[in-house]
Amino acid sequence: MLSATALSCIRGERRLFSGLDLDVGPGEWLHVQGENGAGKTSLLRILASLSPPAEGEIRWRGEPIAHLAEDYRRELLFLGHHGAVKEELTPYENLILAARLDGSELDEVEALKALARFGLRGREDLAVRFLSAGQKRRVLLARLAVRKATLWILDEPFTALDVKAVEMLSGLIVEHVTQGGIAILTSHQAIPLPNGKIIMVGA
Amino acid sequence: MNATLAPILAIIRRDLLLAMRRKSEVLTALFFFIIVVSLFPLGIGPETALLRKIAPGVIWVAALLATMLGLARLFAPDHADGTLEQMVLSPSPLGLLITGKIAAHWITTGLPLVLLAPVLGIQFDLDGGALGIMVVALLLGTPLLSLIGAIGAALTLGLRGGGVLLSLLVLPLYVPALIFGAGAVEAHISGLGAGGHLSLLAALLALAVFFAPWATTAALRIAIE
Amino acid sequence: MSNRIVNWFKYASPQSFYPLAGKLIPWFWALAIVFTVAGLYITFFAAPTDFQQGEGYRIIFIHVPAAWMSMFIYIVMAGWAGLGLALNTRLSGMMAQALAPTGAIMAFLSLWTGAFWGKPMWGAWWVWDARLTSALILFFLYIGFIALQAAIDDPRRADKAGAILALVGVVNVPIIYFSVKWWNTLHQGASVSLTKAPTMAATMLWGMLIMALAFWMYSIAVALTRVRAIILEREAHTEWVKDLPEVQGAKQ
Amino acid sequence: MNWESPAAFFAMGGYGLYVWGSFGVCAVLMIVEPILASKRRKDILRSLRRERIAEQLDPQ
C-alpha cells in the first residue's frame, strides 16, 4: 500500500540517506531504526508528505502521494516530536478541536470514552498545562484512538510514557494493525510489539 | 455546512477560544494602542487645531504598531507545539485554515482597535463625521494589516531575531494602507470627500484577500519543510 | 528551436553557468567603462548649462539611471525568484541573491543623489517628494530581502522565502509608488520635479540614456561577479568545484 | 566647451559641493562594490584550496 523507491534526503549540505526503498502493506508495521542523526525523523516527515524527498518517489495505493494530496492526508495520521496538544485547552477540547481540524466532528461520548481509556477520567476539564508530562502524552494517545486513519506515522511515540501507558500504546498499535491498518514508527527503546518489519536508515 | 466555510470557522473558533484563555496578549496590544495614541498630545502640546490635524495619522500609525505586536505570535505557538504540522497534514486545504487564522487574528487585534478608535478620536477633538469615516477606514484597513502581516509572520517563522526582522519586512508594505487610511479622514476634514480613499482601500483589501493567504501558505510550507 | 531550449537549460545549472559568467564578466566591464566615459563626457562637456537649475542639474545624469536601475533590478530579482519557485532551479535563487545588494546600492544612490540635488533646488536635504519617498521604501524592501536571507541558514529555504518576499514586494512596488504619488499631490508637495527638468534637450536625454546603459552594464558585471562567489560557496562540496583549475592551483 | 578653466569645472557654477558630493559617492560605491564582490570569491577560493591541501596531507 505504501511504497517508496530510491528515496534520498539532503539536510543542509549533508546527505542523510539515499537509495532507500520500502514497502508496507495492510496489517504490517515498520520499525525505522538508525543512529541519532541518521535521518529517521526526516524519513518519517518525507513519508508524511511534510517535506519533499531530494530524489525518489512515494506511492500510496499505487498513486504518487504528490498527486493524491488531500486524499492521502485523509488516510494519514502523523505524530511528530511535538504532539500538537494545546496547553491552554483541556484534554476534552484538545480532542474535539483536533478532530475538527481533520475535517470531522467527534461526538461527546466517544471523546470522553477515549479519555477514560487512557486514565484521564476526572481530568477532562483541567487545562493541559496543569497535567504531568506523562498525562500530556496520554492526551495524544487518546487522539490516536479516536482518529480514523489507515496509515499511522509515529515519531518516538513511546517517549515519556510510563509502563502502563506503553502497554496501552502497544495495544492500540496491535489493534490498529490487526484491523488492516499500517503503522510506521521510530523508537530508541525496545518495542513490545510482535512481528514488525525493520528498516535501517543511514549511510 | 459549506465545505469551504467549515474549516475556516473551525480555526476561528479554536483561535478565539485560545485568545480567551490567554487574554493578556490581546489586552496588551489594546493598551499599547491606547497609550501610544495618548502620548502624542503630551509630546506635541494640547492645541486643538493641531491635534485634529494629526489625529488620523497618529491613530493609524499606532494601529500599525499595535498590529505588529501580536504578529510574531500568529504562527509561533502553533509551530512550536506541532499544530502547524497537523494543519499542513489536514485534509482541509491549508489555504483555508490559514485564512481562518488570519481572520481570528483580525478579530482579536484589529476589531478591538476599530471599536476603540472613536473614543481616542474624541480625545483629539474629531467631529462625528470624521469619526465615522475613521471607523470605516479602519474597518477596511485593519484586515489588510492582518493579511499582509501574516505573510511576514510566516516568512520569519522560527528565525533568530524574527520579531525585528518581521517589522522590517512588513512595515514598508503597510505604507499604502497607512496613506489611504489616514488620508480618508484628512480628505473628509478638508472637505474633499473620503470616497476615493475608501474605495482604494477596499480594492487593496480585495487584492490582499485573494493574494495574501496564498503567499502565507507557501511561506509556511517552506518554514515547516 | 528545441536545441536552443536545451542550451538554455544547460546554462541554468551552476556548474556550466560559473565558467560562462567568468567569460562574460570582462566584456560587461569593458562596456560599462566605455558607456561611463561617454556618459561622463556628455554630462560634463556636451550638455549645456541649464538656465534655470544652473550646473546643479548635472546630478540627474546619475540620479535618474540609479533610480531606474533600483526599480528594474527589483523586477529582475523578482523574476528570477519566481522562476526559481516555479522550476526549482538552483541558479535562480543565487541570481536573486546576487542582485539584491546591487539593487540596494542603486536605491541608496538614488536617495543620496536626490538629496544632493534637492538641497540647492528645494533648500532642504530631504523633501517628501513622491519619487524620493518611494525610493526610500524600495530601499527598505531591499534591506528586508537581504536581512531575511541572511537570517536563514538553509540556502534552499533562504531562496524560497526570499522568492516569496520578492514576489510580494514586486506586487506592492507599483501600489506603493502610486499611493505615495497620490499622497504627494494631495499634500501639495514640491513643484519642481527631478525628472521633468524644464528643458529636456536631446543631448540631456542621450546623456541620461547612455549613463543608464553604463549603470546597466555595471550592474550585470558586478552581479555576475557576486553570483560566481555564491555558486562556489553553495557548491563547495561538489566534485566539479574541487576540480576547478582555480581550486587545483596551489597558489594564487 | 562649457568650462573656461579647471577651477570653473570644479566649482560647477557654485554647485560644486552637490555635484561632486553626488558623483563622488557614486564613484566610491561603484569601485568598492566590485572589489568586495570579487574579494568574496577570492575568500571562498582560498578556503577551498586550503581544504584541498589539508586533504592531501591526510594519508586517508
Side-chain angles (χ1 to χ4, degrees), chain B residues 148 151 154-160 165 168-169 172-173 175-176 179-180 186 192 196-197 200 204 207 211 215 218-219 222-223 225, chain C residues 85 137 140-141 143-145 147-148 150-153 156-157 160-161 164-165 167-169 171-172 175-176 179-180 182-183 186-187:
Chain B
I148 297 173
I151 305 175
L155 284 173
T156 54
L157 189 58
L159 299 184
R160 52 195 135 76
L165 188 57
L168 188 58
L169 300 189
L173 300 178
V175 167
I179 287 176
F180 295 128
E186 275 171 38
L192 288 170
H197 286 86
L200 279 167
L204 288 182
L207 186 72
F211 191 71
I222 295 164
E225 229 169 57
Chain C
L85 272 189
I137 294 166
F140 290 153
L141 289 180
I143 297 298
F145 181 87
L148 177 66
I152 304 176
D153 291 326
R156 263 170 41 91
R157 186 183 165 193
K160 288 185 178 176
I164 290 173
L165 183 66
L167 289 177
V168 170
V171 172
N172 271 278
I175 297 176
I176 291 171
S179 65
V180 168
W182 210 45
W183 163 79
L186 271 182
H187 288 80

Side-chain angles (χ1 to χ4, degrees), chain C residues 53-137:
Chain C
Q53 303 180 27
E55 309 295 351
Y57 88 98
R58 293 183 200 277
I59 293 170
I60 70 167
F61 284 108
I62 51 174
H63 170 78
V64 174
W68 279 347
M69 283 317 291
S70 68
M71 283 186 261
F72 184 68
I73 289 178
Y74 199 89
I75 293 166
V76 174
M77 194 177 89
W80 277 111
L83 203 66
L85 272 189
L87 301 177
N88 206 14
T89 49
R90 280 175 300 164
L91 185 63
S92 312
M94 301 185 197
M95 283 303 279
Q97 205 193 351
L99 281 166
T102 306
I105 285 177
M106 289 297 164
F108 173 79
L109 279 179
S110 95
L111 288 175
W112 182 269
T113 55
F116 270 73
W117 182 86
K119 181 63 182 167
M121 300 303 152
W122 290 325
W125 290 106
W126 181 263
V127 170
W128 290 94
D129 160 71
R131 202 167 285 265
L132 283 185
T133 310
S134 41
L136 180 66
I137 294 166

Side-chain angles (χ1 to χ4, degrees), chain A residues 3-199:
Chain A
S3 61
T5 40
L7 285 186
S8 64
C9 170
I10 298 168
R11 277 279 165 272
E13 285 168 355
R14 227 159 62 82
R15 181 172 281 267
L16 290 181
F17 55 80
S18 50
L20 188 133
D21 298 306
L22 64 86
D23 187 42
V24 256
E28 291 183 320
W29 73 272
L30 179 70
H31 186 187
V32 179
Q33 294 182 340
E35 285 168 32
N36 283 340
K40 298 187 294 280
T41 296
S42 297
L43 174 63
L44 293 197
R45 292 175 66 84
I46 289 171
L47 289 177
S49 76
L50 274 172
S51 45
E55 288 145 297
E57 193 184 41
I58 304 159
R59 286 168 178 272
W60 172 250
R61 302 185 194 274
E63 291 275 325
I65 58 168
H67 295 180
L68 287 169
E70 62 247 39
D71 290 327
Y72 177 60
R73 299 202 295 266
R74 195 167 289 124
E75 294 194 81
L76 167 74
L77 185 149
F78 175 81
L79 186 61
H81 284 181
H82 307 288
V85 171
K86 285 276 167 207
E87 302 257 310
E88 296 87 346
L89 303 180
T90 67
Y92 175 76
E93 287 165 334
N94 264 300
L95 278 197
I96 298 281
L97 290 174
R100 217 173 269 156
L101 202 68
D102 294 329
S104 61
E105 262 330 293
L106 184 64
D107 86 85
E108 207 175 359
V109 181
E110 215 177 323
L112 290 175
K113 219 189 274 173
L115 289 174
R117 176 172 171 191
F118 292 96
L120 291 167
R121 170 159 295 161
R123 305 274 191 293
E124 293 94 341
D125 292 322
L126 201 64
V128 168
R129 89 190 114 132
F130 298 120
L131 302 182
S132 72
Q135 283 170 324
K136 276 178 205 166
R137 296 295 293 185
R138 286 172 184 230
V139 178
L140 271 178
L141 300 187
R143 216 178 67 212
L144 227 60
V146 294
R147 173 77 200 273
K148 288 157 193 76
T150 321
L151 174 62
W152 287 7
I153 297 181
L154 316 172
D155 197 0
E156 296 289 347
F158 291 101
T159 312
L161 292 184
D162 55 29
V163 182
K164 212 169 146 213
V166 167
E167 254 170 50
M168 286 173 180
L169 175 59
S170 24
L172 257 179
I173 296 174
V174 169
E175 189 186 308
H176 174 66
V177 169
T178 46
Q179 283 168 1
I182 302 174
I184 300 175
L185 53 100
T186 59
S187 175
H188 61 266
Q189 60 207 65
I191 308 175
L193 291 174
N195 310 324
K197 280 190 175 181
I198 289 175
I199 188 164

Side-chain angles (χ1 to χ4, degrees), chain C:
Chain C
M1 192 62 198
S2 70
N3 269 340
R4 207 178 283 166
I5 290 168
V6 170
N7 268 335
W8 279 113
F9 270 101
K10 179 170 166 272
Y11 286 117
S13 88
Q15 182 177 0
S16 29
F17 190 76
Y18 179 83
L20 176 71
K23 269 184 226 134
L24 289 176
I25 288 170
W27 292 101
F28 283 112
W29 277 126
L31 284 172
I33 289 168
V34 168
F35 283 127
T36 306
V37 170
L40 285 177
Y41 176 78
I42 296 178
T43 306
F44 287 117
F45 300 105
T49 308
D50 187 88
F51 83 102
Q52 202 185 336
Q53 303 180 27
E55 309 295 351
Y57 88 98
R58 293 183 200 277
I59 293 170
I60 70 167
F61 284 108
I62 51 174
H63 170 78
V64 174
W68 279 347
M69 283 317 291
S70 68
M71 283 186 261
F72 184 68
I73 289 178
Y74 199 89
I75 293 166
V76 174
M77 194 177 89
W80 277 111
L83 203 66
L85 272 189
L87 301 177
N88 206 14
T89 49
R90 280 175 300 164
L91 185 63
S92 312
M94 301 185 197
M95 283 303 279
Q97 205 193 351
L99 281 166
T102 306
I105 285 177
M106 289 297 164
F108 173 79
L109 279 179
S110 95
L111 288 175
W112 182 269
T113 55
F116 270 73
W117 182 86
K119 181 63 182 167
M121 300 303 152
W122 290 325
W125 290 106
W126 181 263
V127 170
W128 290 94
D129 160 71
R131 202 167 285 265
L132 283 185
T133 310
S134 41
L136 180 66
I137 294 166
L138 188 63
F139 181 63
F140 290 153
L141 289 180
Y142 274 118
I143 297 298
F145 181 87
I146 296 170
L148 177 66
Q149 291 214 317
I152 304 176
D153 291 326
D154 179 26
R156 263 170 41 91
R157 186 183 165 193
D159 280 348
K160 288 185 178 176
I164 290 173
L165 183 66
L167 289 177
V168 170
V170 89
V171 172
N172 271 278
V173 163
I175 297 176
I176 291 171
Y177 180 73
F178 286 112
S179 65
V180 168
K181 212 170 162 179
W182 210 45
W183 163 79
N184 190 245
T185 50
L186 271 182
H187 288 80
Q188 300 295 321
S191 54
V192 197
S193 166
L194 247 76
T195 42
K196 290 193 197 91
T199 46
M200 193 64 152
T203 31
M204 284 179 62
L205 195 63
W206 274 108
M208 224 137 84
L209 284 176
I210 289 176
M211 273 311 234
L213 278 175
F215 273 56
W216 204 337
M217 295 304 129
Y218 164 83
S219 303
I220 296 175
V222 78
L224 286 179
T225 310
R226 192 176 290 117
V227 85
R228 260 159 70 92
I230 295 172
I231 289 176
L232 288 181
E233 286 167 7
R234 297 260 190 106
E235 310 259 307
H237 298 282
T238 57
E239 286 305 313
W240 75 266
V241 167
K242 284 180 186 151
D243 293 341
L244 279 176
E246 51 264 56
V247 179
Q248 292 280 334
K251 52 186 179 288
Q252 172 94 26

